Amino acid sequence: MGNLNSELFAAIDSVADGAEEHELAASVQELMRQYRSRVDPRDQVLASDTDVVAYAAYRLPATFSAARSAFESTASSMPGFAPDTHLDVGGGMGAAVWAASSAWPSLRSTTVLEQSTPAIRLGRRIARRSTAPAVRGSEWERFRLTGAVPDGPRVDLATMSYVLNELPPQVQEDVVRSLARRAGTVVLVEPGTPEGYERIIAARAVLTSEGKSVAAPCPHGHACPITPGEDWCHFSERLNRSGIQRRLKFGTLGFEDEKYSFVAATSEPVERPVGRVLRHPHKRKGLVSLNLCTDAPGIEERLVSKRQGRTYRAARKTEWGDGWPPPEEAGH
């Protein structure tokens, strides 16, 4: 299997190269306006081939990167999990489809539910360029998400990324509950905002009420120790911008940081880390400060000094979102 990151970004560049850039820029501006006005962008923007190409060039690399990071964190807490079947709900152009196969190469079949016909066309077109079986052979179905996901064959893995924010609260609960009943493992990803975190926490409660165990990012299955309104649990993934992304975003930086919140819950065995790093570690000479969510549970600041040798060297390499301690340090 090839490098799915490179394959996806090359596929996006290929479809964007065939479009008029001024038309893509106009579609991007309309997309941004719709998001600011909190109108469902899938109804209002993703209505033409130009719209979906613009969305793919503007947002797909970032949503893919966030989903991949969330899925990889989940995979690290479920080392024995090798899913075969995958259901992605509200799949857009397939960001989570590609991300899931990157995190779990064992996947062999994927079904995508998406309401925009142009998005389905482009998602299929991009997917055909992949070497991953579950991406290249993915099946796409037109489905408008207004309630519970319909009954169907049970799947090993269900994902939904950047979709809950487009649904009323009661529909959110119905959808999450239906996914919990249809899949062994469920992973949900939302924007890394206070509001996105609140949706994730509400979904987490629904998943655990259905008998699922939290696999990630929490190092415990207790209530979240963060006080609502004071902070929120989120992570960040840095990605390099392509030329078309820089032009559409009117950006000068060659990179961007995508903030996201997520939860993974499962019926499978889990091996959660003792702690999870909640912020960029503060690294100064001879000392590293780690802000951790722990299995106590609770939030604590952990100071690691140079005198701790191997543990200090591990802390210097630790990043926001990593489990702590690293596996090689867990026994020390």
Side-chain angles (χ1 to χ4, degrees):
M1 188 185 301
N3 184 305
L4 293 188
N5 300 30
S6 300
E7 289 180 6
L8 175 59
F9 295 168
I12 294 170
D13 286 345
S14 177
V15 297
D17 286 345
E20 292 290 339
E21 198 162 304
H22 70 278
E23 294 181 359
L24 297 183
S27 287
V28 165
Q29 292 304 309
E30 177 64 10
L31 172 68
M32 293 171 64
R33 186 189 72 79
Q34 296 291 348
Y35 268 117
R36 285 193 295 268
S37 64
R38 307 183 77 85
V39 175
D40 186 343
R42 294 165 185 265
D43 281 343
Q44 303 298 320
V45 178
L46 302 185
S48 72
D49 291 336
T50 298
D51 292 337
V52 294
V53 172
Y55 184 92
Y58 179 73
R59 284 293 293 156
L60 196 57
T63 55
F64 161 79
S65 297
R68 182 197 59 200
S69 182
F71 297 167
E72 288 176 349
S73 290
T74 303
S76 70
S77 294
M78 301 175 62
F81 183 52
D84 184 73
T85 52
H86 176 207
L87 174 68
D88 185 46
V89 178
M93 277 69 75
V97 175
W98 289 75
S101 277
S102 179
W104 290 289
S106 60
L107 284 170
R108 289 295 173 265
S109 69
T110 294
T111 300
V112 186
L113 304 183
E114 167 58 41
Q115 69 183 31
S116 167
T117 299
I120 291 173
R121 282 199 298 265
L122 185 61
R124 285 172 172 160
R125 179 181 170 189
I126 293 173
R128 286 196 294 268
R129 298 177 63 102
S130 178
T131 57
V135 178
R136 188 176 60 252
S138 53
E139 298 182 1
W140 297 66
E141 299 177 6
R142 191 169 188 274
F143 176 75
R144 183 174 176 82
L145 195 60
T146 57
V149 173
D151 291 337
R154 187 167 176 80
V155 295
D156 300 324
L157 172 70
T159 60
M160 189 165 61
S161 58
Y162 294 81
V163 175
L164 287 175
N165 61 311
E166 298 172 2
L167 305 174
Q170 183 54 50
V171 175
Q172 293 177 28
E173 180 176 341
D174 292 343
V175 170
V176 173
R177 198 172 299 280
S178 66
L179 290 179
R181 294 175 179 179
R182 187 165 171 186
T185 297
V186 179
V187 189
L188 308 174
V189 186
E190 284 289 294
T193 62
E195 297 80 11
Y197 160 73
E198 289 176 4
R199 289 188 292 271
I200 288 295
I201 285 298
R204 182 185 188 270
V206 173
L207 292 168
T208 55
S209 74
E210 290 292 325
K212 302 291 188 189
S213 298
V214 177
C218 317
H220 57 80
H222 310 291
C224 179
I226 294 175
T227 302
E230 294 185 4
D231 201 355
W232 70 100
C233 180
H234 67 293
F235 305 95
S236 182
E237 183 69 12
R238 176 161 291 186
L239 63 146
N240 293 325
R241 287 173 169 168
S242 66
I244 185 67
Q245 278 182 291
R246 288 197 298 271
R247 293 191 295 275
L248 291 178
K249 292 172 181 278
F250 302 102
T252 57
L253 294 176
F255 65 89
E256 63 185 81
D257 295 316
E258 178 68 11
K259 304 292 194 338
Y260 65 96
S261 294
F262 81 101
V263 65
T266 185
S267 302
E268 300 284 331
V270 296
E271 297 179 14
R272 291 185 290 251
V274 174
R276 179 79 63 186
V277 181
L278 295 182
R279 290 289 182 272
H280 286 299
H282 187 198
K283 301 174 184 179
R284 52 192 185 272
K285 187 175 181 180
L287 191 68
V288 178
S289 175
L290 302 174
N291 185 253
L292 298 176
C293 180
T294 71
D295 62 353
I299 307 297
E300 67 173 84
E301 182 182 20
R302 184 77 56 83
L303 298 178
V304 183
S305 73
K306 193 172 184 179
R307 291 192 300 272
Q308 293 174 259
R310 175 174 171 172
T311 302
Y312 171 76
R313 291 190 294 274
R316 296 290 300 183
K317 297 177 182 178
T318 296
E319 302 293 343
W320 182 7
D322 288 349
W324 181 263
E328 62 272 16
E329 290 296 308
H332 292 265

